[in-house]
């Protein structure tokens, strides 16, 4: 395959989101850093380091042919399972969940790496299973067993939001691979009740659902974050109170620089600023899908679709939480929220997508593009 230039728009959107993230992390964490650590620049400096490392990896990975990952998909899957087992055995317990491994220089969250690993695995195996798509047991059962194993390990942490994100992302990849509609319907009919059952077996998840329906029922405990988030968003108005002028970040809104950073964006930059960030994510999704559809082979298409889907789902989850449309899940806003593992892994994934853009098929003289993906079977 002939290698071309990387997609300019993908680079521009990535840089813009990353830049906004650095600015808003500084603004949202300034007070917390001063009060808790006597260093107002503490979180900004760490995020800047993560961002620079992410940029280096972004460009390094963008120069690695994406077919490389398919050759080593077995090793990638093994490492994913290894890290999930390691966090269960040696991970730190925070807020009742064992999700992090302290590496000294960074708190490593294996679930972020596993998300990318499962995208590569699912894309690879669905290409391999193309001749067998009519056979549920031979085509879909093997990847479903692996997805189920990974999901089970995540539930044990517990990390329900990561489980839902991985399952949903893999489902989209399977759908785009050309799986039969009746098989996908069967998966939905069996998978959704299982997810609901898992959710209802935990008291804190039930409490979060109850709080979502009525945050004022427990305003000083479970409903506190949602209420404070809405208080931040409301006064922002059209243009906001001004960059750096947020009141809610002054110890009122917990996790203002991480999961609820969009609330601070809305408060300081208003409807205009919040809408601009959402527009950037929409443009990324559109551009990412176009890149995936123009990939020269099906693995490139499915890998690109998986990366875009992951970013889209996490963005929707985060925005849904801060606006009280979804229960609190602890999902950061991609490229915007503070966090080392999430930012670095996202930049690696975007580097893969950028590499796919280097091998895009050209338009034919008729203006039509060559068909890449298989049609969906009924």
């Amino acid at each position: 395959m002939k290698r071309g230039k990387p997609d300019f728009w993908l680079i521009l959107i990535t840089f813009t989101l990353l830049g906004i993230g650095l600015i808003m992390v500084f603004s949202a964490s300034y007070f917390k850093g001063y009060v808790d650590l006597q260093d107002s620049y503490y979180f900004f400096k760490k995020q800047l380091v993560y961002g620079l490392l992410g940029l280096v990896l972004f460009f390094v990975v963008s120069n690695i042919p994406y077919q490389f990952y398919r050759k080593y998909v077995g090793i990638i899957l093994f490492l994913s399972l290894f890290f999930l087992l390691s966090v269960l055995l040696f991970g730190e317990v925070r807020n009742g969940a064992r999700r992090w491994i302290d590496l000294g220089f960074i708190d490593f969250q294996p679930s972020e790496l596993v998300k990318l690993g499962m995208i590569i695995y699912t894309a690879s195996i669905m290409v391999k299973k193309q001749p067998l798509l009519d056979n549920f047991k031979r085509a879909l059962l093997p990847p479903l067993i692996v997805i189920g194993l990974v999901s089970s390990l995540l539930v044990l942490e517990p990390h329900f939001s990561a489980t839902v994100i991985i399952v949903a992302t893999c489902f989209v990849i399977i759908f785009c691979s050309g799986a039969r509609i009746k098989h996908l319907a069967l998966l939905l009919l069996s998978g959704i009740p299982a997810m609901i059952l898992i959710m209802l077996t935990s008291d804190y998840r039930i409490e979060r659902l109850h709080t979502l329906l009525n945050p004022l029922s427990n305003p000083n405990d479970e409903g506190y974050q949602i209420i404070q988030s809405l208080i931040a968003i409301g006064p922002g108005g059209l243009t906001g109170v001004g960059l750096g002028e947020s009141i809610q970040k002054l110890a009122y809104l917990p996790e203002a620089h991480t999961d609820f950073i969009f609330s601070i964006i809305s408060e300081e930059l208003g409807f205009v600023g919040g809408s601009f960030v959402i527009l950037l994510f929409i443009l990324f999704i559109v551009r990412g899908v176009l890149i995936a559809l123009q990939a020269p082979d099906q693995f490139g298409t499915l890998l690109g679709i998986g990366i875009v889907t992951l970013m889209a789902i996490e963005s929707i989850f985060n925005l849904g939480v801060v606006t009280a449309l979804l229960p609190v899940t602890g999902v950061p806003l991609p490229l915007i929220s503070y966090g080392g593992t999430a930012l670095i892994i996202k930049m690696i994934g975007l580097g893969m997508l950028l590499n796919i853009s280097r091998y895009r098929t050209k338009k034919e003289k008729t203006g039509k593009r060559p068909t890449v993906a298989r049609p969906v079977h009924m």
Side-chain angles (χ1 to χ4, degrees), residues 19-62:
I20 292 173
L22 287 171
I23 293 171
M24 294 312 304
V25 164
F26 173 66
S27 178
S29 66
Y30 187 92
F31 180 79
K32 181 178 177 61
Y34 177 78
V35 172
D36 295 351
L37 302 162
Q38 291 73 54
D39 183 0
S40 299
Y41 301 93
Y42 176 81
F43 295 103
F44 172 73
K45 288 186 293 186
K46 293 192 70 174
Q47 188 74 350
L48 181 60
V49 172
Y50 298 146
L52 292 174
L53 178 58
L55 279 176
V56 171
L57 293 173
F58 174 71
F59 286 112
V60 169
V61 172
S62 71

Side-chain angles (χ1 to χ4, degrees), residues 252-295:
Y252 292 103
L253 175 62
E255 309 300 335
H257 61 304
T258 55
D259 299 344
F260 286 84
I261 195 168
F262 187 78
S263 303
I264 305 302
I265 292 175
S266 298
E267 183 182 6
E268 294 189 348
L269 305 180
F271 177 79
V272 173
S275 297
F276 180 68
V277 171
I278 294 174
L279 177 62
L280 286 173
F281 280 110
I282 293 173
L283 292 175
F284 164 78
I285 293 169
V286 172
R287 198 67 195 175
V289 169
L290 289 175
I291 291 171
L293 292 178
Q294 295 172 22

Side-chain angles (χ1 to χ4, degrees), residues 331-346:
V331 178
L333 189 60
L335 304 184
I336 303 290
S337 295
Y338 172 82
T341 307
L343 178 58
I344 291 171
I345 298 300
K346 287 296 180 298

Side-chain angles (χ1 to χ4, degrees), residues 180-294:
R180 295 177 65 108
I181 293 296
K182 68 177 184 180
H183 292 163
L184 296 173
L186 178 64
L187 290 178
L188 282 175
L189 291 175
S190 59
I192 293 178
M195 286 289 184
I196 294 175
L197 180 62
I198 293 173
M199 184 173 60
L200 295 179
T201 54
S202 175
D203 291 338
Y204 82 89
R205 294 191 189 109
I206 296 175
E207 183 63 31
R208 285 182 178 180
L209 284 175
H210 177 70
T211 301
L212 176 66
L213 298 175
N214 186 13
L216 294 176
S217 64
N218 197 355
N220 296 319
D221 192 6
E222 291 293 337
Y224 182 79
Q225 274 186 308
I226 294 178
I227 293 172
Q228 295 302 319
S229 176
L230 295 177
I231 291 175
I233 294 172
L238 184 62
T239 58
V241 298
L243 184 63
E245 300 298 323
S246 166
I247 299 298
Q248 290 303 106
K249 69 184 180 187
L250 305 179
Y252 292 103
L253 175 62
E255 309 300 335
H257 61 304
T258 55
D259 299 344
F260 286 84
I261 195 168
F262 187 78
S263 303
I264 305 302
I265 292 175
S266 298
E267 183 182 6
E268 294 189 348
L269 305 180
F271 177 79
V272 173
S275 297
F276 180 68
V277 171
I278 294 174
L279 177 62
L280 286 173
F281 280 110
I282 293 173
L283 292 175
F284 164 78
I285 293 169
V286 172
R287 198 67 195 175
V289 169
L290 289 175
I291 291 171
L293 292 178
Q294 295 172 22

Side-chain angles (χ1 to χ4, degrees), residues 129 132 135-143:
K129 297 294 184 179
L132 307 171
N135 190 318
F136 180 83
K137 290 183 178 179
R138 297 181 65 186
L140 297 188
L141 194 56

Side-chain angles (χ1 to χ4, degrees), residues 168-179:
T169 302
C170 292
F171 182 87
V172 172
I173 295 173
I174 292 172
F175 170 77
C176 292
S177 71

Side-chain angles (χ1 to χ4, degrees), residues 60-123:
V60 169
V61 172
S62 71
N63 285 285
I64 300 175
Y66 65 88
Q67 296 90 345
F68 169 85
Y69 308 105
R70 193 179 179 196
K71 295 179 182 179
Y72 297 97
V73 66
I75 296 176
I76 292 172
L77 179 60
F78 171 79
L79 289 175
S80 297
L81 294 172
F82 172 77
F83 283 125
L84 286 180
L85 288 171
S86 297
V87 76
L88 289 175
L89 295 174
F90 309 110
E92 292 186 351
V93 178
R94 300 178 187 176
N95 299 321
R98 192 184 298 271
R99 303 176 184 175
W100 295 268
I101 297 177
D102 187 1
L103 299 180
F105 62 95
I106 189 175
D107 290 332
F108 175 57
Q109 193 170 10
S111 60
E112 294 295 331
L113 185 62
V114 171
K115 291 174 185 177
L116 191 56
M118 288 305 296
I119 289 173
I120 297 171
Y121 164 76
T122 307

